[in-house]
Amino acid sequence: KFFILHEMASSGRYVLNLKSLPQGKHRFDYELDDSFFEQSGSYDILGGTLAAKVEVERNGDVFNFCIALDGTVKTACDRCLDEVEIPVKEENKLVVRFGDSYQELSDDLLVVPLSEGTLDLSSLLYEYSELAIPMQRMHSDGECDPEMMNRMSDLLAIDADEATEESGMTAHDSRWDSLGKLLEQKRTI
């Protein structure tokens, strides 16, 4: 996961020099705005405003990260495709240690090359933002684009009519009414 977005353009603003980071606890604050999300080139997040709080505790050559995100991101509504703002409040833990090359040993353990000694947080911040978005991304009821909803209703009605015609059945088949009455009587006994 980390390698996919590692190519994300970074101004250096999100790069931490782990080698020069003193032992102990440190805190870094970042504001993620529309321009940050535009750099990713992804279509999942269209923009947003997130406060990112990154806490790092260095213990030898091991770095324990706690990355907290709070704010909103903009994405496409699953129903009407219009832009919708989704609240984000997420906290992730990550352990980083030095090694010979970049490796993602698990979802929460990352190895960075000692020769470089830096970690570009931009890909992590984007990934955690993306993972914080729910699977269903929709406006509240009644807030979707009315024109798009009307078009969808028309298409769904046409699809339902075609399916009924193809199956040779009408929407209600009275031949099943007697069977339904028998089943209802059996349930009440």
Side-chain angles (χ1 to χ4, degrees):
K1 294 176 189 174
F2 299 117
F3 301 112
I4 295 170
L5 293 173
H6 184 67
E7 300 298 321
M8 188 169 140
S10 179
S11 63
R13 180 175 170 206
Y14 304 102
V15 177
L16 286 182
N17 187 341
L18 298 177
K19 279 185 179 180
S20 66
L21 198 63
Q23 298 291 323
K25 293 183 180 183
H26 309 277
R27 179 175 163 169
F28 303 91
D29 293 312
Y30 301 98
E31 290 296 322
L32 310 180
D33 57 11
D34 291 344
S35 63
F36 173 82
F37 293 108
E38 286 172 9
Q39 289 179 17
S40 74
S42 174
Y43 61 90
D44 284 337
I45 298 178
L46 306 173
T49 305
L50 288 178
K53 179 175 73 172
V54 179
E55 294 178 350
V56 184
E57 183 175 0
R58 181 175 185 174
N59 188 4
D61 285 343
V62 176
F63 303 85
N64 293 300
F65 282 79
C66 179
I67 300 173
L69 302 172
D70 191 11
T72 59
V73 294
K74 295 180 259 183
T75 188
C77 174
D78 291 338
R79 267 191 299 231
C80 70
L81 304 178
D82 232 6
E83 193 174 278
V84 61
E85 285 193 357
I86 305 289
V88 169
K89 190 163 185 78
E90 185 75 16
E91 187 174 292
N92 296 280
K93 305 251 185 243
L94 176 70
V95 176
V96 177
R97 66 179 177 85
F98 290 127
D100 294 329
S101 62
Y102 280 105
Q103 294 178 335
E104 181 183 351
L105 299 178
S106 69
D107 287 342
D108 57 356
L109 179 58
L110 181 64
V111 177
V112 297
L114 179 59
S115 59
E116 291 180 23
T118 61
L119 177 63
D120 187 349
L121 292 172
S122 60
S123 58
L124 291 170
L125 294 172
Y126 180 84
E127 180 178 334
Y128 290 147
S129 302
E130 196 171 47
L131 291 173
I133 301 173
M135 291 296 288
Q136 290 189 337
R137 307 158 185 182
M138 294 183 283
H139 289 102
S140 299
D141 288 339
E143 292 183 15
C144 282
D145 177 12
E147 184 180 335
M148 181 62 83
M149 297 309 293
N150 287 337
R151 287 183 186 176
M152 281 183 21
S153 293
D154 293 345
L155 289 173
L156 289 173
I158 291 169
D159 288 346
D161 290 344
E162 288 174 1
T164 302
E165 288 173 13
E166 288 176 11
S167 68
M169 295 179 64
T170 60
H172 176 74
D173 191 342
S174 60
R175 295 178 289 178
W176 295 100
D177 290 345
S178 298
L179 181 59
K181 289 177 187 175
L182 288 173
L183 287 172
E184 189 61 38
Q185 286 175 355
K186 183 178 177 184
R187 286 187 199 133
T188 57
I189 295 178

